[in-house]
Amino acid sequence: MVYHAEEMILSPVREIFHGPVNDVIVCQDLRSSTRACYILIAVRDRETAKRLLLVLQNSQRETGDRQPCIRMFTENELLCLLFEYRPERRLDRFAAGQLLTPQSRERVCVNLVMECLSSPLPFPLLYLALERENVHLLQDDGVYFTCCFDLSRLDESVGEAQCTDRCVQLLLSLLRKQSRRQLKSFELLRKKSERGAYTSLPELYRDIRISALPERKASVRERAEGFWERNKDLFFRILLRLSVAVGLIALIILISQLIFGGFPLLRLFQNTFEVIGTENLTGT
C-alpha cells in the first residue's frame, strides 16, 4: 500500500510492528531525490485514533515550535502519523560494550533525562517511548527515541510523574553495578524512587547532575576493552575467512602433490640458475 502525505509519496520498505490497533512501517519517499526514509504509524482502530487525537490536542508540554510528528494525515480509513527515521541502536544491547566507566554511565543517564525534557511527545506517548525497544544509544553517548508504539497500550491519563518513574527505572538499570559498593547517583535515585518522591523530570535531572562523578578520560585498558567488545564479531568473521582460505590452499597443495608430485608455484622460489648446460654454478 502506498501512502500520500501532501507532496510526499510514501512506499513501505519494512514492517516493524503489527499490532491489534496499529502498524509501524518504515517508508521511503518516492518523490525525494535522496529516497528519504520515515517511520509511519498507521492506526486502524477508530476508537484508538480518536483517543490519540485527543492526546495530541491536549498535550500540556511546552516544546516551542517542535511538533510531535512530521506529518499527520489520513489514508482511506487510516489515521497516519509520520516520524523521522533513525536506525536502531538499542541502549540495552550496546550499553554493556560501550559504557565501561561510571562516568560514561552517568553521562548517558543525564542525556536520557535531557532527551525526555526536550522531546515534543505528549506524556502518554513519551511513556511508550521510554520502553526499552525505543531507547537508543549513539556512539558519542547521546540518546534518542524511536516511535515503534503499540497504541493498544496507550493510556491518556499518563502524566509527567509516570514518565519520570519509568525513566528512573531505566537510569537505575544503567547505574546498577554488580558489587557491594554502588554509585552515589544510584543510591540517591534508588532511595527517592522507593519513597515515590519523583514527580517531575527537572527534579530527576538535577539529582543525577549533582550526584554524578567528575568526568575523566577512560584508561587505555578500558578503551581497549570497549574496542574489543564493539569489534569482536568483525574479528571473528575475519579469522573465520582466513581459516577457510588457509584450508583451501592446503587442500590445493595436497591435490597438486598427489597429481603432479609437487606444487608448480613453489618452483618460482627455487634457484633455477645453479646449472647452465654442463656448468654447475655451485662448484659441486
Side-chain angles (χ1 to χ4, degrees):
M1 178 178 181
V2 176
Y3 301 85
H4 302 82
E6 297 180 7
E7 75 283 0
M8 305 171 75
I9 298 179
L10 301 165
S11 174
V13 174
R14 175 170 58 96
E15 184 178 76
I16 301 176
F17 172 78
H18 176 74
V21 300
N22 71 283
D23 300 325
V24 182
I25 308 162
V26 178
C27 289
Q28 193 176 61
D29 182 10
L30 299 182
R31 284 188 173 172
S32 168
S33 59
T34 59
R35 289 294 192 266
C37 288
Y38 300 91
I39 293 289
L40 178 74
I41 296 180
V43 186
R44 303 187 305 273
D45 181 70
R46 290 186 178 182
E47 186 61 33
T48 302
K50 292 177 183 178
R51 293 166 51 213
L52 179 59
L53 287 173
L54 287 174
V55 165
L56 294 170
Q57 292 170 3
N58 298 332
S59 175
Q60 301 297 316
R61 305 202 66 184
E62 296 182 4
T63 56
D65 295 331
R66 295 185 64 190
Q67 299 298 318
C69 59
I70 298 173
R71 294 274 195 285
M72 183 166 60
F73 60 97
T74 58
E75 184 75 34
N76 297 328
E77 296 184 354
L78 300 176
L79 174 65
C80 300
L81 277 70
L82 197 65
F83 296 88
E84 176 187 6
Y85 171 76
R86 300 188 74 170
E88 295 183 359
R89 200 172 187 271
R90 285 178 52 167
L91 176 64
D92 57 349
R93 295 177 181 172
F94 285 86
Q98 181 171 326
L99 309 181
L100 302 175
T101 66
Q103 288 85 354
S104 64
R105 297 202 302 273
E106 289 177 332
R107 182 166 59 250
V108 168
C109 288
V110 170
N111 291 337
L112 175 55
V113 182
M114 288 180 63
E115 185 67 13
C116 290
L117 287 167
S118 62
S119 173
L121 292 172
F123 288 122
L125 292 181
L126 179 62
Y127 189 77
L128 297 179
L130 283 166
E131 294 178 345
R132 293 181 181 275
E133 61 268 22
N134 285 319
V135 185
H136 302 269
L137 178 66
L138 292 169
Q139 292 183 339
D140 64 357
D141 295 342
V143 176
Y144 62 95
F145 298 134
T146 53
C147 299
C148 185
F149 299 152
D150 178 2
L151 293 177
S152 65
R153 304 210 300 259
L154 179 66
D155 183 353
E156 305 97 308
S157 66
V158 167
E160 185 175 6
Q162 291 91 333
C163 290
T164 304
D165 182 67
R166 175 164 281 189
C167 186
V168 169
Q169 301 312 312
L170 280 174
L171 300 190
L172 290 175
S173 68
L174 285 171
L175 297 172
R176 183 178 290 108
K177 190 176 181 181
Q178 302 301 321
S179 64
R180 297 179 63 183
R181 188 175 182 180
Q182 298 285 358
L183 292 169
K184 291 182 179 179
S185 55
F186 173 84
E187 293 295 347
L188 175 61
L189 268 59
R190 180 183 62 81
K191 291 177 181 178
K192 294 189 69 170
S193 177
E194 289 176 352
R195 299 199 312 267
Y198 284 117
T199 58
S200 70
L201 291 167
E203 180 184 3
L204 178 59
Y205 177 77
R206 182 197 64 206
D207 283 355
I208 188 66
R209 284 300 300 267
I210 64 174
S211 61
L213 294 170
E215 287 283 349
R216 70 170 180 85
K217 291 185 177 180
S219 66
V220 174
R221 178 181 176 182
E222 290 167 341
R223 291 197 297 269
E225 289 176 350
F227 179 78
W228 166 252
E229 285 293 335
R230 292 190 296 271
N231 297 282
K232 60 183 179 181
D233 291 340
L234 175 62
F235 293 151
F236 175 77
R237 290 195 296 269
I238 292 174
L239 182 61
L240 180 62
R241 291 173 182 174
L242 287 175
S243 300
V244 171
V246 170
L248 288 174
I249 292 172
L251 180 62
I252 292 171
I253 292 175
L254 176 61
I255 294 173
S256 179
Q257 288 280 0
L258 294 174
I259 297 175
F260 304 108
F263 188 54
L265 288 178
L266 294 179
R267 295 171 187 169
L268 296 175
F269 302 99
Q270 296 177 348
N271 189 351
T272 58
F273 296 100
E274 291 183 354
V275 177
I276 301 177
T278 58
E279 296 296 326
N280 191 327
L281 301 182
T282 61
T284 61

